[in-house]
């Protein structure tokens, strides 16, 4: 199958699932900060304007509602990514040598971007955030139902450890989001391609040639 210029940068399912997932993740972060404020683990709380839900109960309601959206969207995205070959072709990170080369280019602001192919840094970030989100959901379930899902909480070493891992995953997702949005600002045409059908800029070379 030709995966070159005639191919869309992002398929319709990826575009739909990206925006549903992004909205759910942002709601979960902001409502999570509301829940954290009720019993802070660290010596600070988040300003009210950065939180969602208005109070602890409202924060929990938002967090759990967005969690089911993220859960369903995430399962659909994982199934699509695995069975359509999207993960293997577009997201699987290349060899460390290529990642280091792309990272070096990125830090010197000379890493180019072609619509239709992710560079080594993007692949590492996307694969990383997918794994981090999975861990955030699973640790979240384990601290939501520590009695019913006691085996899961136990797997993470108990409630306090599971909560710390959950908060660490949140920090990693926020870190990803800052870099992700900076890259979108640097390459604004990628935003158009995630919103509308835009043709890939690749010549007829197979996608994934970054490897
Ligand atoms: C709300 C602001 C966001 C914007 C404007 C945005 C924008 C984009 C754009 C433009 C791309 C395509 C990049 C390219 O073609 O080079 C992309 C891909 C991606 N974004 Fe976002 N994004 C946002 C939020 C998020 C969030 C919250 C997450 C998850 C934590 C996320 C995860 C991803 C992933 C995993 C991909 C790769 C999708 C794939 O090809 O399967 N994004 N995003």
């Amino acid at each position: 199958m030709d995966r070159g210029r005639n191919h869309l940068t992002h398929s319709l399912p990826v575009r739909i699932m990206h925006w549903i997932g992004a909205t759910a993740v942002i709601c979960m972060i902001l409502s999570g900060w509301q829940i954290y404020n009720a019993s802070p683990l660290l010596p600070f709380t988040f300003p009210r304007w950065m939180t969602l839900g208005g109070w602890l109960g409202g924060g929990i309601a938002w967090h759990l509602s967005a969690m089911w959206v993220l859960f369903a969207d995430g399962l659909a995205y994982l199934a699509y990514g695995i069975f359509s070959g999207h993960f293997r072709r577009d997201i699987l990170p290349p060899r460390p040598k290529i990642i280091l080369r792309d990272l070096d280019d990125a830090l010197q602001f000379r890493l180019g971007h072609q619509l239709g192919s992710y560079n080594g840094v993007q692949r590492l970030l996307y694969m990383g955030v997918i794994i981090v989100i999975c861990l955030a959901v699973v640790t979240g379930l384990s601290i939501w139902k520590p009695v019913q899902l006691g085996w899961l909480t136990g797997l993470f070493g108990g409630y306090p450890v599971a909560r710390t891992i959950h908060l660490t995953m949140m920090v990693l997702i926020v870190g990803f989001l800052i870099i992700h949005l900076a890259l979108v600002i640097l390459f604004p045409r990628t935003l158009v391609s995630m919103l509308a059908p835009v043709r890939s800029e690749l010549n007829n070379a197979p996608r994934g040639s970054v490897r």
Side-chain angles (χ1 to χ4, degrees):
M1 186 175 46
D2 175 31
R3 313 270 329 162
R5 260 187 211 283
N6 294 327
H7 191 261
L8 288 183
T9 303
H10 301 292
S11 67
L12 182 64
V14 165
R15 278 180 278 135
I16 293 175
M17 291 184 285
H18 173 271
W19 291 117
I20 294 177
T23 308
V25 165
I26 290 167
C27 287
M28 292 212 68
I29 292 172
L30 300 182
S31 56
W33 290 348
Q34 177 80 59
I35 299 169
Y36 165 94
N37 278 356
S39 169
L41 194 67
L42 299 168
F44 70 88
T45 55
F46 293 94
R48 201 178 152 77
W49 62 266
M50 285 172 81
T51 63
L52 184 64
W55 65 295
L56 175 60
I60 292 174
W62 269 99
H63 208 63
L64 293 183
S65 308
M67 186 266 282
W68 287 119
V69 176
L70 182 64
F71 194 78
D73 184 72
L75 279 186
Y77 177 70
L78 288 178
Y80 176 85
I82 293 167
F83 295 116
S84 71
H86 172 55
F87 283 170
R88 183 182 40 78
R89 199 176 46 238
D90 304 319
I91 304 276
L92 200 67
R95 283 172 285 130
K97 203 173 127 197
I98 308 278
I99 297 179
L100 287 177
R101 182 203 65 193
D102 286 356
L103 193 60
D104 188 47
D105 283 352
L107 291 174
Q108 299 187 46
F109 293 99
R110 56 170 204 221
L111 183 62
H113 186 67
Q114 249 188 328
L115 288 182
S117 166
Y118 294 138
N119 58 56
V121 179
Q122 277 181 300
R123 285 167 182 249
L124 190 68
L125 283 172
Y126 292 155
M127 181 56 86
V129 83
I130 291 165
I131 294 170
V132 163
I133 289 176
C134 290
L135 253 179
V137 170
V138 179
T139 49
L141 289 173
S142 83
I143 56 177
W144 178 41
K145 297 277 180 197
V147 177
Q148 295 89 332
L149 298 176
W151 59 272
L152 191 58
T153 321
L155 210 65
F156 288 113
Y159 185 93
V161 183
R163 187 184 179 205
T164 307
I165 300 175
H166 192 64
L167 289 180
T168 308
M169 295 306 111
M170 178 275 290
V171 172
L172 292 177
I173 294 170
V174 172
F176 164 84
L177 204 48
I178 292 169
I179 300 173
H180 190 52
L181 292 182
L183 289 176
V184 173
I185 291 167
L186 279 177
F187 298 100
R189 69 191 199 288
T190 62
L191 182 59
V192 181
S193 75
M194 196 39 113
L195 289 165
V198 172
R199 297 252 167 256
S200 158
E201 290 174 353
L202 293 182
N203 289 318
N204 283 331
R207 298 218 299 177
S209 52
V210 67
R211 314 179 77 220

